[in-house]
Amino acid sequence: MRLLDRATRLFTFFMLALISISCQDEVQKADLVITNATIWTGNDNQPIAESMAISGDTILFVGSHEDVSKFIGENTKIKDANGKFVTPGFIDSHVHLLTGGFNLNSVQLRDAKTPEAFIKRIEAFAKTVPKGSWILGGDWDHENWGGELPTKEWIDDITKDHPVFITRLDGHMSLANSVALELAGVTNKTLDVEGGDIVRAENGDVTGLLKDNAANLVWPSVTEPTEEEYEKALQAAMTYLASNGVTSVHHMSAAGHYNVLKKVKAKNELITRIYAMYPLTDWNRLKSEIDANGAGDNWLKVGGLKGFVDGSLGSHTAAFFEPYTDNPSDNGFFVMPIDTIYKHVKAADKAELQVMIHAIGDKAINNLLNTFETVQEENGERDRRFRIEHAQHISPDDFKRFSELNVIPSMQPYHAIDDGRWAEKLIGAERIKTTYAFKSLLDAEAKLAFGSDWFVAPPTPLMGIYAAVTRRTLDDKNPEGWVAEQKITVEQALTAYTKNAAYSSFEENIKGTLESGKLADFVIINGDLTTVNPNNIKDLKILETYVGGKKVYDYSNN
C-alpha cells in the first residue's frame, strides 16, 4: 500500500511538472529541483518540507511536491531524493582549517592506545618523508594509555634525521625531540615563559614537553610551507569537510593564510565558505584590511578576532577558581593577562569588529564575561555578538549572563564525549555537573553554536549531534550519557550547527536555514536524524553535499 501511494504521488508530481513546462507564465524556472525528500528546514514557520527549487546559488522555493512544479522548466534538473533527509549545510563554527588540512597527511597518533604504538607510528612515518623535514601534527592523547606524558627520550633514537614537534590533540601541549629543541635553541637553561610551561624532569632537564605559550620557543624554527603546499592543504581540508556535510567554517587561525585563501577564491576553487579570523592582538591590521579591501563576500569574509584567556583541561592549563582535583597545587593559568585582553577587546569592539575568545576553565569564563560586560557598558549598545569559544566549565551563576549579555557560547560537543572519559579525575564530581552544559545554556536562553575545533577533534557534525544528544563517551562506559542531565534534542543540536552558527557570524540572513532567498547550501543524509535511534546517528552517512546549488560531494563516487 505504501509503495502504491508513493508511486501515485510521484506520477502526480511528474504530470504536474509536465503541465508546468507547457505553461507560459512568468514564474522563474529552477536549475535544480529536489523532490520526494524529508527536508528539515530550520525555519520555525515551515519546519518540514517535501521539495526545494534552486536557481543559481539561491533557493527559489521550499514546500510541497505539488507546489514546486511551477518552478520546473525545460532545462530544470529534477532530483528524486527517494525519501532521504535533507538539512541546511552544516556550519562548523570553530576550525583551524589549514592545520587540519596539513594534519590529514601527517603522522596519525590520535588513536594510539599505548606508548609502544605512539613510538612505532612516529618511527614508521619518519621513514616515509625526506631527511631533515619536520614531523608535525600527530594529535596524540596520553589519556589513551593511562595519563603518562611522553618525553623526547621516547622518540630521540628513532628520529635522529628529523626535527619532531608533535601536538597533543587539544593543541595546548606539544612534544619536541632533541633535534627540534637544538634548532630552536631550547636548553635546560632556557627561562620559563609567561602564559606557558616548559615541562622539566625532577633534575631540571627539559623533557621536550612545552605547554601553551612555551611552544612559541619552537614554532619560529619550523620550516614555513610553500604557497603550493598551503593550497594543497586547503584543497584537502575542503574535500574532507564536504564529505562530512560541512559547507561553511569559521577559520580561527587565518591571518597567515588569508592571501592563500584569497588566491584560491580568485581562481573560483573554493567549495567551502570561510569566515576568517585574525588574532585579537592584530585588530588594527584587520581593520586596515577591511578599510582597504572590504570584508569579503559570501565565499570568503573577514571581521572576526580570536584570542585566548587560558589553555585546556587535558593539559592542566585551563584556569579554575579551585585547584585541580588531581593536583591541589595547580589552578591552571591565564595565557594572556585579563587586563591585556580587556585593552584589546575594547579597542577591537570600538572598531566594530567581532571578538571571540577561548575560555575553558570557570575562572577564565567568569573573567571574560566580566570583561565583555565592562566593554559593552563603556562602548555603548550595538549588535556586537561577542563569543566565548569552548565555554566548557561554567560556574552555575554565569549561565544566565550569556543571554543577558548576548554572548554566544561557541562549543564543540565531540569534546564532551572525549573528555568525559577522564575529566572527573581532574576536576571532581561537583564541577563536572556544569561541564559542556548544553542544556543549561539553552535553558538560560543562550544562543548555542556548535563546531568541532578541528584539528583538535574531527569536523563531523553527525558525530557532534550524536555527542550532544546521547553524551555517550568514546570508551562506551557511559551508555546513558555522561552528565546525562545536559543532553539536548536532535532539533536543538541541528539548530546549533546551522541557524545559530550562521547567527554567530552575522550571516543568518543568507544561510543557516532552507528558505526562499537564501543560499542553496544543503546536505542529503541516508536517515532521518529526528526519528532514528539517537545511538545510531553517528553511523548515518552524508550522501551528497551542495554549496551554492552545486554538488561538491557524492558518496557514490567515493
Side-chain angles (χ1 to χ4, degrees), residues 334-454:
F334 284 180
V335 173
M336 180 181 287
I338 200 68
D339 57 342
T340 303
I341 291 172
Y342 159 75
K343 179 182 70 174
H344 289 304
V345 171
K346 183 174 181 179
D349 181 68
K350 188 168 288 187
E352 298 190 351
L353 300 170
Q354 188 183 18
V355 174
M356 51 201 76
I357 298 184
H358 165 126
I360 285 181
D362 55 17
K363 183 177 180 180
I365 294 167
N366 176 267
N367 275 260
L368 184 54
L369 286 169
N370 294 343
T371 299
F372 284 163
E373 184 171 17
T374 299
V375 169
Q376 289 188 26
E377 292 172 352
E378 294 177 348
N379 284 354
E381 290 297 319
R382 73 177 184 88
D383 186 10
R384 48 177 48 89
R385 304 187 195 182
F386 283 146
R387 291 170 43 167
I388 294 183
E389 303 303 309
H390 311 305
Q392 288 177 4
H393 311 286
I394 305 171
S395 294
D397 290 342
D398 280 335
F399 285 111
K400 62 181 182 297
R401 300 180 69 199
F402 280 85
S403 57
E404 290 172 353
L405 299 172
N406 193 27
V407 173
I408 298 164
S410 171
M411 304 181 75
Q412 300 77 41
Y414 184 96
H415 288 339
I417 62 172
D418 192 353
D419 292 8
R421 296 173 296 139
W422 45 261
E424 185 170 349
K425 72 180 181 182
L426 271 63
I427 58 175
E430 188 62 30
R431 278 184 288 188
I432 66 164
K433 293 178 181 178
T434 55
T435 191
Y436 299 99
F438 310 132
K439 188 173 187 304
S440 292
L441 284 163
L442 289 175
D443 289 346
E445 300 183 340
K447 201 171 286 286
L448 178 64
F450 276 165
S452 67
D453 200 12
W454 187 46

Side-chain angles (χ1 to χ4, degrees), residues 503-538:
Y503 175 88
S504 72
S505 60
F506 292 89
E507 294 178 294
E508 71 273 18
N509 292 328
I510 61 170
K511 62 185 176 184
T513 60
L514 298 177
E515 52 188 303
S516 177
K518 291 193 175 182
L519 293 168
D521 299 351
F522 61 96
V523 179
I524 301 177
I525 304 170
N526 70 338
D528 187 334
L529 272 66
T530 65
T531 60
V532 71
N533 183 323
N535 295 335
N536 296 331
I537 290 175
K538 63 181 174 57

Side-chain angles (χ1 to χ4, degrees), residues 115-372:
E116 292 75 21
F118 174 92
I119 294 166
K120 286 181 179 179
R121 290 190 189 186
I122 295 171
E123 182 179 23
F125 182 81
K127 294 176 181 178
T128 69
V129 292
K131 290 183 178 181
S133 59
W134 282 81
I135 297 176
L136 306 171
D139 303 342
W140 50 270
D141 182 4
H142 59 287
E143 297 294 342
N144 284 343
W145 54 77
E148 180 185 3
L149 288 169
T151 67
K152 58 185 173 60
E153 284 75 21
W154 288 21
I155 60 174
D156 273 350
D157 287 344
I158 60 172
T159 57
K160 293 179 180 179
D161 296 325
H162 299 276
V164 177
F165 196 45
I166 50 175
T167 305
R168 186 181 184 274
L169 56 83
D170 60 7
H172 292 271
M173 178 161 52
S174 300
L175 175 65
N177 70 348
S178 291
V179 178
L181 292 173
E182 183 177 353
L183 288 172
V186 177
T187 70
N188 294 339
K189 296 180 180 180
T190 300
L191 298 178
D192 289 331
V193 175
E194 183 178 1
D197 185 18
I198 302 171
V199 180
R200 305 176 192 270
E202 290 184 4
N203 63 1
D205 290 350
V206 296
T207 65
L209 287 170
L210 303 169
K211 296 184 179 183
D212 282 301
N213 288 348
N216 294 331
L217 296 170
V218 174
W219 279 120
S221 301
V222 176
T223 304
E224 180 72 14
T226 65
E227 189 169 283
E228 181 181 355
E229 288 171 333
Y230 270 123
E231 289 191 31
K232 183 179 178 181
L234 176 58
Q235 297 291 355
M238 292 191 297
T239 299
Y240 184 53
L241 290 164
S243 72
N244 286 295
V246 177
T247 57
S248 293
V249 296
H250 301 171
H251 179 14
M252 293 291 141
S253 46
H257 314 146
Y258 193 50
N259 286 334
V260 172
L261 299 177
K262 288 197 291 186
K263 182 177 179 181
V264 174
K265 177 187 174 295
K267 294 191 290 186
N268 295 316
E269 292 180 354
L270 289 182
I271 62 170
T272 308
R273 303 188 193 277
I274 302 169
Y275 182 27
M277 314 305 162
Y278 276 52
L280 176 65
T281 52
D282 283 353
W283 67 266
N284 51 355
R285 186 159 67 97
L286 176 57
K287 182 67 164 60
S288 297
E289 167 70 28
I290 293 173
D291 289 345
N293 302 307
D297 58 19
N298 294 343
W299 279 104
L300 174 63
K301 77 165 197 168
V302 289
L305 295 158
K306 166 74 183 308
F308 291 83
V309 179
D310 63 347
S312 73
L313 182 68
S315 296
H316 276 66
T317 57
F320 286 92
F321 286 113
E322 300 296 327
Y324 283 86
T325 303
D326 63 336
N327 187 351
S329 65
D330 186 5
N331 290 64
F333 53 75
F334 284 180
V335 173
M336 180 181 287
I338 200 68
D339 57 342
T340 303
I341 291 172
Y342 159 75
K343 179 182 70 174
H344 289 304
V345 171
K346 183 174 181 179
D349 181 68
K350 188 168 288 187
E352 298 190 351
L353 300 170
Q354 188 183 18
V355 174
M356 51 201 76
I357 298 184
H358 165 126
I360 285 181
D362 55 17
K363 183 177 180 180
I365 294 167
N366 176 267
N367 275 260
L368 184 54
L369 286 169
N370 294 343
T371 299
F372 284 163

